[in-house]
């Protein structure tokens, strides 16, 4: 798909960069309203593309930082907004960018983006590395949104839900039908808000332990907790240790990981010998 009038460089949507542009103006405004940014704050937009959200974000905060990887679209954003003192266009891969370093010391920083679906999870965890923004509003594939907000005991619940919910509050705000984009994607979408807890109840070391535990337990998702705690190469507890942590944390060792709440995962990570 191409756009642009006569004399303008034409831009063809690149599937490799997850380019599905949001053309529904009501939805653009609805997403922007979900960002709780004030005049004194800094706002970072990931993947502004052709500016569907950007045009509603301009002037809302003291600074707006736009991070766009596509060469032509970054150049266009620079042409359009580069003269403004309150806008910075960063032509870069968000995953290789220290997003919080682009903010200002002491400023509340918010992140918003209609992001490429193939790198949703890496982007989310990149944004959840420390220090964390005040909040993150992202358009993601509906199925991924459901996995982010999933409750324990459901089919969608897994490492993604535990990883995000152990450090942040999560809300699925609304669904977005695929017809709101051009080109039309194969899947529906949803907007999620992720609000990191501040201060975070976990130390960086506890978080690293938790990540290791979650990865191991969900790698062996169908197995009983006791078996994975004993036999997984990254865990290796003995029988007595399994019984001791199960009693301390209050879980049934014959249960499966999808039935442990994020809070139980946190308690289990800190109870591990
Ligand atoms: N925000 C626009 C909208 O809503 O219409 C574009 C959304 S499109 C789904 C994703 C955007 O992210 C594209 O502009 C794409 O070029 C950009 N993008 C893809 N990978 C990126 C990366 N690693 N870092 C920064 N931007 C990226």
């Amino acid at each position: 798909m191409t756009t642009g009038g006569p004399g303008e460089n034409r831009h063809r949507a690149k599937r490799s960069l997850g380019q599905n542009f949001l053309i529904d103006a009501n939805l653009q405004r609805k997403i922007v309203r979900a960002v709780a940014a004030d005049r004194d704050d800094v706002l970072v937009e990931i993947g502004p593309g052709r500016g569907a959200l950007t045009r509603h974000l301009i002037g809302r905060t003291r600074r707006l930082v736009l991070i766009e990887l596509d060469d032509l679209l970054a150049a266009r954003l620079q042409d359009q907004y580069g003269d403004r003192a309150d806008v910075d266009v960063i032509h870069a891969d968000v995953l290789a960018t220290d997003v919080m370093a682009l903010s200002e010391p002491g400023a509340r920083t918010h992140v918003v983006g209609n992001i490429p679906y193939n790198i949703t999870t890496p982007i989310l965890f990149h944004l959840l590395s420390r220090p964390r923004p005040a909040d993150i509003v992202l358009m993601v594939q509906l199925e991924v949104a459901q996995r982010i907000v999933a409750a324990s005991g459901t089919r969608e619940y897994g490492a993604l839900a535990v990883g995000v919910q152990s450090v942040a509050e999560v809300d699925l705000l609304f669904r977005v039908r695929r017809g709101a984009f051009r080109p039309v994607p194969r899947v529906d979408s949803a907007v999620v808000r992720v609000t990191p807890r501040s201060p975070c109840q976990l130390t960086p070391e506890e978080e690293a332990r938790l990540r290791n535990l979650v990865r191991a337990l969900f790698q062996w998702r169908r197995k009983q907790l006791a078996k994975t705690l004993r036999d997984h190469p990254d865990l290796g507890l003995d029988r007595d240790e399994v019984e001791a942590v199960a009693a301390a944390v209050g879980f049934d060792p014959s249960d499966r990981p999808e039935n442990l709440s994020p809070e139980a995962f946190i308690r289990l990570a800190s109870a591990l010998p």
Side-chain angles (χ1 to χ4, degrees):
M1 181 186 170
T2 58
T3 57
E8 194 183 339
N9 278 340
R10 293 204 157 219
H11 176 261
R12 184 176 289 278
K14 297 186 186 73
R15 189 185 285 204
S16 62
L17 291 182
Q19 291 180 347
N20 298 97
F21 298 100
L22 184 63
I23 56 162
D24 183 324
N26 288 329
L27 277 167
Q28 295 167 0
R29 283 190 284 271
K30 195 169 174 184
I31 294 168
V32 167
R33 277 201 301 274
V35 180
D38 292 333
R39 190 74 201 98
D40 291 338
D41 297 345
V42 173
L43 183 52
V44 178
E45 185 186 358
I46 300 174
R50 296 175 182 157
L53 304 179
T54 321
R55 66 178 66 105
H56 307 281
L57 297 170
I58 286 286
R60 268 192 56 173
T61 50
R62 80 164 130 157
R63 253 182 86 213
L64 175 63
V65 180
L66 307 173
I67 306 175
E68 174 57 59
L69 182 57
D70 184 289
D71 300 343
L72 184 56
L73 295 181
R76 276 200 199 162
L77 290 160
Q78 184 62 40
D79 282 350
Q80 203 171 355
Y81 300 117
D83 287 344
R84 290 187 65 120
D86 59 346
V87 178
D88 291 311
V89 179
I90 311 289
H91 177 200
D93 176 352
V94 65
L95 291 174
T97 304
D98 182 346
V99 173
M100 292 299 279
L102 298 171
S103 186
E104 294 168 18
R108 265 168 65 82
T109 306
H110 308 262
V111 176
V112 61
N114 171 16
I115 57 174
Y117 291 165
N118 55 339
I119 50 172
T120 299
T121 307
I123 289 179
L124 189 48
F125 283 111
H126 182 59
L127 295 173
L128 287 175
S129 63
R130 296 172 185 232
R132 300 184 171 123
D135 60 16
I136 304 164
V137 172
L138 296 178
M139 171 101 75
V140 301
Q141 195 176 325
L142 175 61
E143 180 249 321
V144 176
Q146 288 165 333
R147 288 200 285 120
I148 291 170
V149 303
S152 58
T154 63
R155 197 166 44 87
E156 292 83 9
Y157 185 73
L160 181 59
V162 181
V164 178
Q165 293 177 28
S166 56
V167 296
E169 303 295 331
V170 293
D171 295 291
L172 194 160
L173 299 179
F174 50 89
R175 293 177 178 216
V176 177
R177 61 192 167 77
R178 62 193 77 181
F181 302 90
R182 291 291 181 278
V184 179
R186 276 195 290 266
V187 291
D188 290 326
S189 299
V191 175
V192 291
R193 185 191 289 122
V194 175
T195 313
R197 286 189 205 98
S198 178
C200 183
Q201 63 186 119
L202 303 172
T203 64
E205 294 71 33
E206 286 167 337
E207 269 180 47
R209 254 165 106 81
L210 178 63
R211 262 199 309 278
N212 193 36
L213 173 72
V214 170
R215 193 182 316 114
L217 287 179
F218 282 108
Q219 249 170 18
W220 292 5
R221 188 185 172 98
R222 305 305 317 152
K223 295 204 194 317
Q224 296 183 349
L225 291 163
K227 176 156 181 58
T228 309
L229 288 169
R230 278 198 318 264
D231 297 347
H232 194 286
D234 292 344
L235 298 172
L237 277 64
D238 65 29
R239 256 168 222 285
D240 292 343
E241 287 169 337
V242 170
E243 273 177 29
V245 291
V249 175
F251 67 86
D252 176 353
S254 67
D255 212 345
R256 295 185 205 285
E258 67 257 32
N259 293 321
L260 279 190
S261 67
E263 296 71 35
F265 267 100
I266 291 172
R267 290 201 306 277
L268 174 53
S270 60
L272 287 177

